[in-house]
């Protein structure tokens, strides 16, 4: 045997899996097809700007992050817990009243937050608070849209704020995602202060990879996975490896290439990254466009932020980094640059002529489709000695990927002991 366990994929799930296996006393070899660790959590550094491959944030309130990540070492730079709501007649900052007392009056008195909606929101989130340890019950799950209706959450808080914000978080504007999945995310948003590591989001997987005794084998894609009499055999361009067991921790779209498990459908988004010498908006908040009657944006952009306002390390001194997100499930998800600029000018109410496009990331497979009912974390055994890990086994998030990787490792340890 070349090693005890081969982990295929060095995204967050694969890295946590390898780390747990190592702690459990196994020799682990991690194979990664691309040129760096991180999977969907990668950062391009362009002219000193840190452009994550798709805008995302790290929430330190995720239990798995608290348990397994050295958040202090990442130097998290916090976003404001709230959002700027843009409509055709106003631009209003809504923020967590305890975290941002300076915005408390405007937030509670806003037309976007009528009392009836706030009460309905409390009814909606209650299952996630009642069952905080285990998560809301699968039997009670339904689509996000139906759950809002059932809670009586039908007013402006839903239309102007929640649906627009959540569509960007989920890369899904359909309202068909599992309500329990969304409740878990919203609960963590309320408890934590999501932010960006000083070195970019990729600092997270890089930290995890550092803890491994055997370095991840980069540019080493697994081509084929076979069972043998006493374990598994993985073929790569660099040769064949034999081990006692394997964990397939590839993304949802790559699952079918190596296992008999079907590929999991995904939602996608596009992130545009611009640089500017002028500061277009003060404040470390995400801006949501709620201009359209009935909710949602009037153009292709669902949310935008001056990322370097929250995370100064993302731009060189005196410069600003702006992200804008469009959704691939919308007809204008792949809008041209001119259209995106027009939309940004409407939202920030200024010209973007002096802004320079740094890059655009089209992330076709951002998150697995997550219909109700939300599954319990379930490492799936797809062969005598092969398991699957990844956010698609738990739920689509950093938390879900870490938990899934950890659980797969524990299952492998039991398997090898048995
Ligand atoms: C744009 C965007 C925004 C997001 N926003 C957030 C957010 O704000 N909060 C949050 O919690 N989550 C967010 N997420 C989700 C989170 O990033 C993912 O859930 C998580 O990173 C998934 O990790 P994973 O290990 O399951 O899969 P992946 O990251 O997809 O890792 C799979 C790895 O397997 C490798 N691989 C594939 N095939 C092979 C092969 N044959 N051989 C070897 N290696 C292979 C891939 O190269 C990849 O490195 C976001 C994701 C994106 C893309």
């Amino acid at each position: 045997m070349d090693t005890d366990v081969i982990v295929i994929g060095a995204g967050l799930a694969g890295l946590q899996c390898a780390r747990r296996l190592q702690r459990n006393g196994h020799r682990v070899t991690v194979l990664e097809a691309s040129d760096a660790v991180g999977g969907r959590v990668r950062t391009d550094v362009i002219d000193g700007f840190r452009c994550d491959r798709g805008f995302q944030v790290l929430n330190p309130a995720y239990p798995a992050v608290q348990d397994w990540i050295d958040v202090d070492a990442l130097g998290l730079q916090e976003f404001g817990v709230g959002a700027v709501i843009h409509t055709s007649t106003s631009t209003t900052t809504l923020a967590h009243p305890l975290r941002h007392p300076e915005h408390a009056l405007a937030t509670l008195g806003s037309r976007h937050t009528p009392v009836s909606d706030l009460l309905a929101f409390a009814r909606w989130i209650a299952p996630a608070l009642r069952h905080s340890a285990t998560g809301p019950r699968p039997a009670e799950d339904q689509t996000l849209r139906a759950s809002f209706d059932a809670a009586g959450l039908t007013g402006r808080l839903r239309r102007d704020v929640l649906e627009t914000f959540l569509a960007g978080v989920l890369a899904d504007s359909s309202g068909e995602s599992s309500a329990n999945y969304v409740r878990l995310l919203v609960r963590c948003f309320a408890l934590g202060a999501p932010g960006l590591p000083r070195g970019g989001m990729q600092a997270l997987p890089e930290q995890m990879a550092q803890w491994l005794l055997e370095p991840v084998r980069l540019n080493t894609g697994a081509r084929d996975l076979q069972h043998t009499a006493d374990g598994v055999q993985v073929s790569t361009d660099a040769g064949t490896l034999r081990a006692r067991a394997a964990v397939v921790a590839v993304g949802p779209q790559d699952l079918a290439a190596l296992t008999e498990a079907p590929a999991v459908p995904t939602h996608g988004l596009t992130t545009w990254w611009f640089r500017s010498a002028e500061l277009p908006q003060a404040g470390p908040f995400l801006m949501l466009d709620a201009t359209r009657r009935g909710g949602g944006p009037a153009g292709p952009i669902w949310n935008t932020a001056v990322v370097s306002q929250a995370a100064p390390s993302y731009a060189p001194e005196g410069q600003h980094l702006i992200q804008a997100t469009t959704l691939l499930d919308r007809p204008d998800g792949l809008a041209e640059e001119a259209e995106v600029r027009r939309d940004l000018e409407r939202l920030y109410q200024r010209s973007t002529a002096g802004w320079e496009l740094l890059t655009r990331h089209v992330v076709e497979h951002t998150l697995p489709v997550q219909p109700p009912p939300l599954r319990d974390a379930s490492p799936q055994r797809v062969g005598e000695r092969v398991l699957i890990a990844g956010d698609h086994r738990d739920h689509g998030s950093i938390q879900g990927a870490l938990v899934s990787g950890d659980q797969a490792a524990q299952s492998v340890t039991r398997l090898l002991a048995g």
Side-chain angles (χ1 to χ4, degrees):
M1 290 289 169
D2 300 299
T3 184
D4 289 332
V5 187
I6 297 169
V7 175
I8 302 174
L12 300 183
L15 291 170
Q16 178 58 29
C17 180
R19 192 167 162 237
R20 175 65 66 191
L21 286 165
Q22 184 178 287
R23 280 210 178 164
N24 290 354
H26 304 295
R27 284 180 307 150
V28 194
T29 298
V30 184
L31 306 179
E32 168 54 48
S34 74
D35 59 355
V37 298
R40 274 168 273 166
V41 184
R42 296 281 304 268
T43 306
D44 292 334
V45 180
I46 305 170
D47 293 344
F49 292 86
R50 296 182 198 280
C51 305
D52 295 326
R53 291 193 187 166
F55 174 62
Q56 60 180 301
V57 290
L58 175 60
N59 191 335
Y62 283 146
V65 170
Q66 290 176 351
D67 288 350
W68 303 322
I69 303 298
D70 184 351
V71 177
D72 288 344
L74 293 175
L76 215 55
Q77 306 163 98
E78 292 177 6
F79 269 84
V81 184
V84 175
I85 313 299
H86 180 92
T87 67
S88 54
T89 54
S90 65
T91 301
T92 316
T93 301
L94 304 181
H96 193 303
L98 300 179
R99 301 268 178 78
H100 304 279
E102 70 279 16
H103 293 294
L105 275 181
T107 299
L108 296 172
S110 159
R111 65 197 170 107
H112 304 293
T113 55
V115 174
S116 56
D117 274 10
L118 292 174
L119 292 174
F121 178 74
R123 274 194 298 278
W124 178 81
I125 192 75
L129 305 178
R130 269 202 306 276
H131 309 288
S132 57
T134 53
R137 294 206 179 105
E140 290 169 10
D141 204 3
Q142 55 193 148
T143 65
L144 181 62
R145 188 200 307 263
S147 73
F148 281 158
D149 289 341
L153 186 44
T154 53
R156 295 200 73 147
L157 178 64
R158 168 178 175 175
R159 230 173 35 234
D160 296 348
V161 184
L162 292 171
E163 285 184 338
T164 311
F165 172 69
L166 292 171
V169 169
L170 305 168
D172 173 19
S173 64
S174 72
E176 298 295 315
S177 290
S178 149
N180 282 353
Y181 162 46
V182 182
R183 284 187 179 105
L184 290 176
L185 296 180
V186 170
R187 181 171 171 272
C188 287
F189 272 118
L191 292 175
L196 296 172
R198 224 177 3 245
M201 281 298 289
Q202 196 172 332
L204 166 64
E206 277 171 358
Q207 179 190 84
M208 298 176 73
Q210 271 172 20
W211 292 324
L212 298 177
L213 294 174
E214 182 185 321
V216 172
R217 298 192 191 184
L218 301 174
N219 302 307
T220 310
R223 302 250 167 264
D224 184 47
L225 169 59
Q226 297 290 337
H227 285 89
T228 60
D230 54 354
V232 296
Q233 178 172 300
V234 177
S235 315
T236 75
D237 285 343
T240 299
L241 280 170
R242 295 175 65 240
R244 296 171 67 202
V247 176
V248 179
V250 302
Q253 72 282 7
D254 293 324
L255 208 48
L258 288 172
T259 71
E260 290 184 357
V264 178
T266 53
H267 293 297
L269 56 72
T270 297
T271 303
W272 294 76
W273 295 99
F274 292 91
R275 65 188 286 178
S276 163
E278 56 160 19
L279 178 63
Q281 172 198 287
F285 294 102
L286 197 65
M287 188 196 288
L288 307 174
D289 184 17
T291 303
R292 193 155 42 89
R293 278 175 73 85
I301 297 173
W302 283 71
N303 67 61
T304 173
V306 185
V307 172
S308 50
Q309 271 271 280
S313 74
Y314 270 54
E317 184 92 30
Q319 297 280 317
H320 306 285
L321 177 67
I322 298 125
Q323 76 82 17
T325 296
T326 68
L327 301 185
L328 294 182
D329 69 359
R330 308 297 294 189
D332 53 7
L334 286 173
E336 298 289 326
E337 182 180 342
E339 204 181 333
V340 169
R341 280 180 181 271
R342 257 198 313 278
D343 219 18
L344 285 167
E345 292 181 357
R346 182 177 58 81
L347 292 169
Y348 288 106
Q349 295 167 12
R350 65 183 60 224
S351 163
T352 62
W355 297 16
E356 186 190 324
L357 176 64
L358 289 166
T359 189
R360 178 190 74 143
H361 292 125
V362 180
V363 192
E364 195 186 334
H365 305 293
T366 298
L367 286 165
V369 167
Q370 199 94 61
L374 182 65
R375 285 182 303 266
D376 287 343
S378 55
Q380 188 178 318
R381 198 157 149 192
V382 288
E384 205 36 42
R385 285 164 179 268
V386 178
L387 284 99
I388 294 176
D391 62 348
H392 48 91
R393 308 300 336 141
D394 189 77
H395 66 264
S397 70
I398 289 169
Q399 161 77 14
L402 293 173
V403 166
S404 166
D406 203 73
Q407 295 216 343
Q410 300 291 34
S411 297
V412 169
T413 296
R414 282 194 294 275
L415 183 78
L416 295 184

